[in-house]
């Protein structure tokens, strides 16, 4: 059944009409990690949107003191080994106020290795973990490299607030169509990762 | 009554079904049109939702104009008791990048005066700002999963202000409320002189929930 108002089709065939304003950020999928070695998104990343946002909410490592990492795929998730160049910096502050830190820390130079979501070591106690977001721009473009920008804040294993600012590009003109998130070692004990498309 | 099209539920129980519509939901806008010393968003009050409905909330501060006190500030804090007390223990980190209007003095670095280590006080968004008629600050603040009773409550924010010198001050901060109690209210304060209560003359604060 369709719904037509004043001559305008609002919805039909189980979907809203494309002309209906719905907001520019659309939730595409949600993955809840539970002792997961990796969390992968192998569908929904295509030419529909020019920008995608991954949001991390209380992502908790199983092992104490590890970093959140990510990688991209151009073959639907068969291989996560896209060549990337990236740069990261951080700001940190210990709970006991004994030290602060700010500066460049860790990047990739034309590497297929996993990129850093955080350069800081995340705490694994029950109330710790990390939250933040990663923007991926125009992944299906076959002319340009694929830029990404991230901000992820952590409760550090050495108790502290630390945020990582990351940016870089997948140095490929092939379409990126999958993304994977994991800890540098051990599982993701729990957490939610959401994928949005931005119109 | 629900509305089903081709087997798919589009509307039911007074709401659009999950998967339809936008993910960024407007909850509340508070417009400041006369001097006030604070603006509060309290769950369950005046249409404010700040609970488990959303896993992420974003506050946008638009053209907040400080009062005319010397070196005014806009600060924020959290509450776990519905706004009776804004004194949640927090640890945060802060840095800034700035550039003077005369073209000199550009720099970036860690900035301890706007961080906190297991403190309960307010965190500055703008700091030693300018009070001229056209001088304002803007900011956004992401707050993650405030109703969780398992995790600390992470936040990430960024502000830009016209500093008193005058210069452009980009302030960057992140941290966590070190509590496993649910955060259910947020307050933005006008202050000056690095902590004395002051006013905000005008501006707008928008609260969004993210599905």
């Amino acid at each position: 059944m369709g719904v037509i108002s004043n001559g305008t089709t609002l919805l039909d065939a189980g979907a809203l009409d494309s002309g209906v304003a719905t907001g520019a950020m659309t939730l595409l999928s949600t993955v809840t990690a539970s002792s997961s070695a990796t969390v992968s998104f192998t569908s929904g990343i295509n030419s529909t949107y020019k920008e995608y946002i991954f949001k991390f909410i209380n992502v908790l490592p199983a092992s104490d003191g590890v970093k959140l990492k990510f990688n991209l795929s151009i073959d639907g998730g068969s291989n996560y080994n896209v060549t990337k160049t990236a740069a990261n910096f951080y700001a940190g502050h210990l709970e006991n106020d004994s030290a602060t830190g700010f500066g460049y820390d860790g990047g990739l130079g034309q590497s297929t290795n996993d990129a850093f979501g955080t350069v800081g070591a995340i705490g694994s106690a029950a109330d710790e973990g990390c939250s933040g977001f990663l923007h991926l721009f125009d992944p299906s473009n076959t002319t340009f490299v694929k830029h990404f920008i991230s901000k992820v804040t952590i409760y550090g294993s050495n108790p502290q607030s630390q945020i990582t600012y990351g940016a870089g590009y997948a140095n490929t003109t092939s379409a990126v169509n999958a993304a994977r998130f994991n800890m540098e070692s051990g599982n993701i004990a729990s957490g939610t990762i959401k994928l949005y498309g931005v119109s | 009554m629900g509305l089903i099209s081709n087997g798919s539920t589009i509307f039911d129980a007074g709401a659009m079904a999950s998967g339809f519509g936008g993910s960024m939901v407007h909850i509340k806008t508070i417009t400041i049109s006369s001097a006030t010393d604070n603006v509060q968003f309290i769950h369950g009050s005046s249409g404010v939702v700040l609970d488990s409905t959303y896993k992420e909330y974003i506050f946008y501060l638009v053209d907040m104009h400080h009062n005319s006190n010397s070196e005014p500030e806009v600060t924020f804090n959290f509450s776990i008791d519905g706004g009776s007390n804004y004194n949640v223990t927090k640890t945060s980190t802060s840095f800034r990048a700035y550039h003077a209007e005369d073209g000199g003095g550009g720099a970036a670095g860690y900035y301890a005066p706007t961080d906190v280590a297991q403190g309960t006080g307010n965190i500055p968004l703008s700091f030693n700002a300018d009070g001229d008629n056209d001088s304002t600050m803007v900011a956004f603040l992401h707050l993650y999963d405030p109703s969780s009773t398992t995790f600390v409550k992470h936040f990430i924010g960024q502000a830009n202000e016209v500093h008193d010198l005058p210069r452009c001050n980009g302030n960057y901060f992140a941290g966590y409320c070190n509590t496993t109690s649910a955060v259910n209210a947020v307050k933005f304060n006008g202050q000056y002189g690095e902590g004395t209560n002051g006013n905000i003359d005008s501006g707008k604060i928008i609260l969004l929930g993210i599905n």
Side-chain angles (χ1 to χ4, degrees):
Chain A
M1 181 189 81
V3 173
I4 300 171
S5 174
N6 200 29
T8 299
T9 299
L10 299 179
L11 61 93
D12 194 16
L16 293 173
D17 188 82
S18 61
V20 175
T22 58
M25 194 169 84
T26 303
L27 176 62
L28 302 177
S29 60
T30 300
V31 177
T32 302
S34 179
S35 299
S36 307
T38 63
V39 169
S40 299
F41 293 83
T42 57
S43 64
I45 302 174
N46 51 46
S47 62
T48 304
Y49 300 99
K50 286 285 193 180
E51 178 185 0
Y52 291 81
I53 306 174
F54 298 92
K55 292 191 176 254
F56 317 112
I57 301 162
N58 288 333
V59 176
L60 181 70
S63 303
D64 194 48
V66 297
K67 301 169 184 176
L68 177 67
K69 293 196 164 189
F70 70 95
N71 215 326
L72 303 170
S73 171
I74 59 172
D75 55 14
S78 297
N79 298 280
Y80 289 94
N81 58 357
V82 174
T83 299
K84 298 170 294 300
T85 293
N88 302 284
F89 70 97
Y90 77 100
H93 185 203
L94 292 176
E95 280 189 359
N96 64 15
D97 209 16
S98 64
T100 62
F102 174 73
Y104 185 85
D105 187 353
L108 293 176
Q110 294 295 86
S111 173
T112 60
N113 293 339
D114 294 343
F116 293 97
T118 70
V119 296
I122 307 166
S124 65
D127 64 344
E128 299 178 347
C130 66
S131 298
F133 50 86
L134 167 69
H135 294 248
L136 174 63
F137 297 91
D138 204 7
S140 68
N141 190 294
T142 53
T143 302
F144 295 107
V145 301
K146 316 302 182 296
H147 293 280
F148 52 85
I149 296 173
S150 66
K151 294 182 184 180
V152 184
T153 187
I154 71 169
Y155 189 125
S157 58
N158 182 14
Q160 66 178 295
S161 164
Q162 185 181 113
I163 183 167
T164 297
Y165 294 79
Y169 52 85
N171 200 355
T172 176
T173 53
S174 298
V176 166
N177 52 18
R180 182 184 72 186
F181 301 91
N182 52 273
M183 296 296 169
E184 64 178 344
S185 64
N187 288 340
I188 301 173
S190 63
T192 302
I193 304 179
K194 294 185 171 190
L195 172 61
Y196 298 85
V198 180
S199 297
Chain B
M1 184 187 82
L3 178 61
I4 299 172
S5 173
N6 202 31
S8 297
T9 299
I10 310 295
F11 297 98
D12 196 16
M16 189 176 286
S18 175
F20 296 94
S23 295
M24 191 177 273
V25 179
H26 176 263
I27 297 172
K28 178 81 176 178
T29 295
I30 296 178
T31 300
I32 302 165
S33 53
S34 60
T36 183
D37 59 4
N38 69 76
V39 173
Q40 300 180 51
F41 291 84
I42 302 169
H43 174 68
S45 175
S46 302
V48 171
V49 175
L50 193 63
D51 63 358
S52 61
T53 302
Y54 303 100
K55 286 281 196 180
E56 179 186 1
Y57 292 83
I58 305 176
F59 297 88
Y60 284 97
L61 286 72
V62 182
D63 283 340
M64 303 286 282
H65 185 260
H66 307 82
N67 67 352
S68 58
N69 286 314
S70 176
E71 299 186 335
E73 304 144 16
V74 173
T75 67
F76 69 97
N77 213 328
F78 302 97
S79 172
I80 59 172
D81 55 12
S84 296
N85 298 278
Y86 288 93
N87 58 358
V88 173
T89 299
K90 300 171 291 298
T91 293
S92 72
T93 184
S94 175
F95 68 95
R96 63 181 183 170
Y98 57 85
H99 187 220
E101 288 188 3
D102 64 8
Y110 194 88
Y111 195 58
T114 52
D115 72 11
V116 62
Q118 296 295 89
T120 59
N122 301 330
I123 296 177
L125 288 162
S126 54
F127 195 73
N128 297 340
D130 186 64
D132 286 357
N133 286 339
D134 64 347
S135 297
T136 58
M137 63 84 74
V138 296
F140 59 78
L141 172 67
H142 296 251
L143 175 61
Y144 294 92
D145 206 5
S147 69
S148 171
T149 53
T150 301
F151 290 100
V152 302
K153 315 302 180 296
H154 293 283
F155 55 86
I156 296 174
Q158 184 174 336
N160 197 55
E161 64 172 300
V162 181
H163 190 275
D164 191 46
L165 282 178
R167 69 185 184 203
C168 167
N169 249 44
N171 306 320
Y172 303 77
F173 55 94
Y176 48 83
C177 302
N178 201 352
T179 176
T180 54
S181 298
V183 166
N184 52 17
V186 178
K187 183 168 76 169
F188 298 90
N189 311 279
Q191 296 191 294
Y192 72 99
E194 302 183 14
T196 304
N197 290 335
N199 285 328
I200 305 164
D201 289 332
S202 63
K204 183 180 291 186
I205 305 179
I206 303 165
L207 173 59
L208 306 174
I210 310 299
N211 277 317

